[in-house]
Amino acid sequence: MKNNELLIGQMAKLNHTTLATLRYYDKMELLSPVYVNPDTGYRYYDVRQCLIFHIIQHSRALNMSLKEIRELMGCSNFERLKDTIQKKQDETVRALTELQMRHEELGRFLWWIDNFYHRPPAGLIQMGFITSEYVYMEKARRNYVLEDIGSVIYDVSFLEEKLLEKGFKEGYPDFAFVTLKLDDVIHQRYRTDKLGIIIQGENKEVEGVEKLQSSTSVFVYFEDFSKLRTYAEQVIAFCHDHNYTPAGDMMCRLMGVLHLDDFKKTSEVYRLSIPVEAGNTIQV
């Protein structure tokens, strides 16, 4: 090509871009015409500047800002170029980690939606398998059986604060729960022992988080926290009637607050469960 000069329109067409983009790059001192005719105002580019244009576009695709690109193109220092690219690569690694976490959180959200929507009817007591979970627990601040869910939510906020101090990462503690000691339940002493939060994702590595093993349990879903004791008595009676032996502490877990008919409203749903073994029932 003997004549390397391109009018701005030709430059834009050749690089599949717009006049506005080229004018903006000129304003940012990234890519300026090699010559502007003082009489006509026509702007001329050298065809070889297409290479510079592609460098700019490629750098933008790597999430570099125009300011960063301009600084790099003006420094002529390979060590600085290397350091800048290394920093962008480190940023990308962090972004990938965050995206992976969000992907996993969205997957858990989908799983929860399916399970919450297809949960058993309220008040139906049954036996089934409950998967293992990671939890963070502390001694209950009060006997929540005698109070309302507001007290649980209030005190859980202090647990969340501790988790943040311990390095809790992006994401949220999903569900709060309280536990009742097996011995207390057997002897009809209905008082909460532990207050806790279900932990998922990378947050399970936070100090103090422990794993609750999977179990065959007797459980019931209900929607009024004030009836916790009533359902606890019914669950133990169910175990007695079906020859199931309670084998661990009872847990009342908040499963969700979404109102199925109106998402602008809340409607708490709880699951009360206790691990059991088939065999001779205990005397209650």
Side-chain angles (χ1 to χ4, degrees):
M1 184 174 181
K2 294 183 179 180
N3 184 1
N4 290 335
E5 291 184 348
L6 297 172
L7 287 168
I8 187 171
Q10 294 172 309
M11 181 70 171
K13 183 176 181 180
L14 191 62
N15 290 285
H16 312 289
T17 189
T18 64
L19 299 181
T21 297
L22 291 176
R23 291 193 179 103
Y24 186 66
Y25 285 0
D26 182 19
K27 181 180 179 181
M28 290 290 294
E29 300 179 352
L30 282 168
L31 182 61
S32 299
V34 294
Y35 173 69
V36 179
N37 189 309
D39 298 324
T40 64
Y42 288 169
R43 308 156 71 85
Y44 293 91
Y45 289 83
D46 189 302
V47 69
R48 289 169 293 188
Q49 287 181 289
C50 292
L51 299 175
I52 298 176
F53 178 84
H54 290 309
I55 289 174
I56 295 171
Q57 297 300 90
H58 180 63
S59 299
R60 290 189 65 191
L62 296 177
N63 203 34
M64 295 180 67
S65 68
L66 293 179
K67 181 179 178 181
E68 289 174 324
I69 298 170
R70 182 180 63 191
E71 291 175 353
L72 287 177
M73 293 178 68
C75 75
S76 301
N77 184 310
F78 274 96
E79 286 301 318
R80 183 176 173 185
L81 175 63
K82 180 180 177 181
D83 290 343
T84 300
I85 299 303
Q86 182 64 59
K87 289 179 181 178
K88 299 304 291 187
Q89 187 181 54
D90 294 341
E91 290 176 7
T92 302
V93 171
R94 289 192 292 271
L96 283 171
T97 301
E98 293 174 0
L99 285 172
Q100 180 63 32
M101 183 179 294
R102 292 173 188 171
H103 180 266
E104 293 173 358
E105 288 291 335
L106 289 169
R108 282 189 284 270
F109 198 1
L110 288 171
W111 178 88
W112 173 84
I113 290 172
D114 187 54
N115 281 266
F116 188 76
Y117 182 77
H118 295 99
R119 67 182 185 271
L124 176 64
I125 301 176
Q126 56 187 307
M127 184 179 74
F129 181 75
I130 294 180
T131 58
S132 62
E133 294 178 306
Y134 287 87
V135 301
Y136 180 81
M137 297 186 293
E138 290 188 357
K139 195 69 178 177
R141 294 168 175 253
R142 62 190 94 185
N143 184 8
Y144 302 105
V145 176
L146 303 178
E147 303 200 23
D148 59 24
I149 189 60
S151 298
V152 176
I153 295 172
Y154 181 82
D155 287 347
V156 160
S157 66
F158 294 101
L159 295 189
E160 293 176 351
E161 183 178 0
K162 286 188 177 181
L163 286 171
L164 290 172
E165 293 174 354
K166 290 174 177 287
F168 196 84
K169 300 178 182 178
E170 181 181 350
Y172 300 93
D174 289 318
F175 305 105
F177 65 86
V178 297
T179 67
L180 291 75
K181 284 186 175 180
L182 174 60
D183 187 65
D184 283 341
V185 173
I186 291 174
H187 293 90
Q188 298 182 321
R189 298 189 294 261
Y190 294 101
R191 57 192 181 190
T192 47
D193 176 47
K194 297 287 182 66
L195 172 67
I197 306 174
I198 305 297
I199 304 297
Q200 296 183 335
E202 292 186 8
N203 295 309
K204 65 186 181 183
E205 303 298 331
V206 172
E207 178 187 359
V209 172
E210 56 186 283
K211 184 178 182 179
L212 293 183
Q213 298 299 324
S214 57
S215 65
T216 298
S217 298
V218 170
F219 59 87
V220 60
Y221 285 77
F222 64 103
E223 299 175 359
D224 186 348
F225 188 77
S226 67
K227 295 182 178 179
L228 192 158
R229 175 171 179 166
T230 299
Y231 281 109
E233 292 172 343
Q234 292 179 10
V235 164
I236 292 300
F238 182 91
C239 292
H240 178 83
D241 294 342
H242 291 79
N243 201 32
Y244 300 143
T245 302
D249 293 345
M250 182 173 281
M251 174 188 286
C252 180
R253 170 179 168 175
L254 177 62
M255 301 300 293
V257 297
L258 192 64
H259 194 288
L260 293 182
D261 298 321
D262 187 347
F263 291 172
K264 293 181 180 179
K265 298 179 181 179
T266 59
S267 179
E268 293 89 11
V269 175
Y270 308 93
R271 186 186 69 197
L272 184 66
S273 63
I274 190 167
V276 297
E277 296 176 353
N280 296 326
T281 184
I282 59 170
Q283 298 300 316
V284 295

